[in-house]
Amino acid sequence: MTQQTVQRSTLSNLQLNLSKVSNLQAQMSSGKRITKASQDPAAASGLLAQKAEKSASTQALRNAQDGESWLNLTDTTLQQSVSVLQRARDLTVQAVNGGANDTSREAIATELEGLRDSLLDLANTTYNGRSIFSGTSSADAAFEDASGGYAWNGVAGARVTRRIGEDATVQVDSDGSAAFGNGATSVFQLLDDIAADVRAGTNVTGRLDEIDAVQNNMLISLSDVGVRTKQITDVQDKLALTIQNLTSSISDSEDIDLAATVLELSMQQVAYEGALGAASNVLQPTLMDYLS
């Protein structure tokens, strides 16, 4: 074995020791056992799959949280609408039973019109700039007090949805025409008609059934919102648990054992320093060193 062969072998071993020290220092600084796929291709492939699943679950959770906020606002709005309509019903009963003089009839009619305005405002509630009762429509308001009646500006059959899983979506909007009616059959037009009848002294007993029918429609919409809210809440709990488990699994696979890494780094540094000392004895000066 020539001196040159010994030199090459010694330098190669030194480089190997230095590479181990460098890798351990990189792990220490990053806190990760795998800093590039070539270090452990099989483990890296599994980590990429887990991280992709975690990313998808995190996005689904954000979608579910946004959907829940939309549904909660819809739920609150419908509950308030039911309460407003109940007050309108009470006034209608009052008109039937005791609205005999012009002054009381005018007071009832005026309040009914105020309740109509309140309902119209509730029906045009928005979430993040979008109407919660007009579906995918880009209209500024779900209902407009136009000359032809209170037209619904929504798109029939269109739904606003949020993806809460790979193959699962949930509707977050509600059909305004189902809850409030549309045009001449809307609750707004109904209250206008009742107010006009009260002013004219017309018997409004028959209007009570119409109010009850609209209120029933609102309650059906409210129940449907409750079902979807429960669905989206349950999914959030499941997604949160999935994200927690994936985070733990990724950490177990990727993160270093700090104490073990510190110990191994210390041992590799001692080995490298020892190798340097041995190399200084092995790599003796050559004739060229003297000539230089």
Side-chain angles (χ1 to χ4, degrees), residues 40-170:
D40 190 340
S45 177
L47 279 171
L48 287 175
Q50 288 180 322
K51 288 180 177 180
E53 185 179 354
K54 179 183 175 182
S55 178
S57 296
T58 301
Q59 182 60 58
L61 180 59
R62 285 196 292 265
N63 293 345
Q65 289 169 339
D66 179 74
E68 183 183 16
S69 297
W70 188 308
L71 287 169
N72 284 340
L73 178 59
T74 305
D75 182 274
T76 300
T77 302
L78 286 172
Q79 288 192 48
Q80 292 174 341
S81 298
V82 170
S83 296
V84 170
L85 194 57
Q86 182 58 49
R87 174 56 184 166
R89 191 184 194 284
D90 293 341
L91 288 172
T92 304
V93 172
Q94 184 178 332
V96 171
N97 295 333
N101 59 68
D102 292 343
T103 301
S104 61
R105 286 199 299 269
E106 179 60 30
I108 291 173
T110 300
E111 186 172 353
L112 284 170
E113 290 170 342
L115 294 174
R116 173 209 61 205
D117 292 341
S118 295
L119 276 175
L120 189 60
D121 186 56
L122 287 168
N124 287 327
T125 299
T126 60
Y127 175 75
N128 285 342
R130 296 186 62 181
S131 172
I132 63 175
F133 291 113
S134 63
T136 59
S137 171
S138 60
D140 293 332
F143 293 89
E144 290 181 337
D145 183 10
S147 57
Y150 301 90
W152 179 58
N153 292 323
V155 180
R159 305 191 308 166
V160 178
T161 62
R162 293 291 179 269
R163 181 163 295 281
I164 56 175
E166 184 177 355
D167 300 310
T169 60
V170 63

Side-chain angles (χ1 to χ4, degrees), residues 22-40:
S22 177
N23 286 337
L24 288 169
Q25 288 176 334
Q27 290 179 14
M28 286 285 293
S29 62
S30 66
K32 305 299 181 184
R33 184 176 63 84
I34 302 174
T35 56
K36 52 186 178 181
S38 59
Q39 292 174 324
D40 190 340

Side-chain angles (χ1 to χ4, degrees), residues 5 9 22 67 86 142-143 154 157 171 175 203 215 221 263 265 280:
T5 301
S9 177
S22 177
Q86 182 58 49
F143 293 89
Q171 180 184 354
D175 187 338
N203 190 312
Q215 194 171 56
S221 296
L263 178 60
L265 177 60
S280 66

Side-chain angles (χ1 to χ4, degrees), residues 155-214:
V155 180
R159 305 191 308 166
V160 178
T161 62
R162 293 291 179 269
R163 181 163 295 281
I164 56 175
E166 184 177 355
D167 300 310
T169 60
V170 63
Q171 180 184 354
V172 297
D173 69 318
S174 290
D175 187 338
S177 63
F180 298 95
N182 188 7
T185 62
S186 68
V187 64
F188 321 111
Q189 186 62 55
L190 174 60
L191 293 186
D192 276 347
D193 294 342
I194 295 174
D197 288 347
V198 169
R199 282 196 176 96
T202 303
N203 190 312
V204 292
T205 301
R207 298 292 188 180
L208 294 174
D209 289 338
E210 296 180 56
I211 293 176
D212 290 342
V214 175

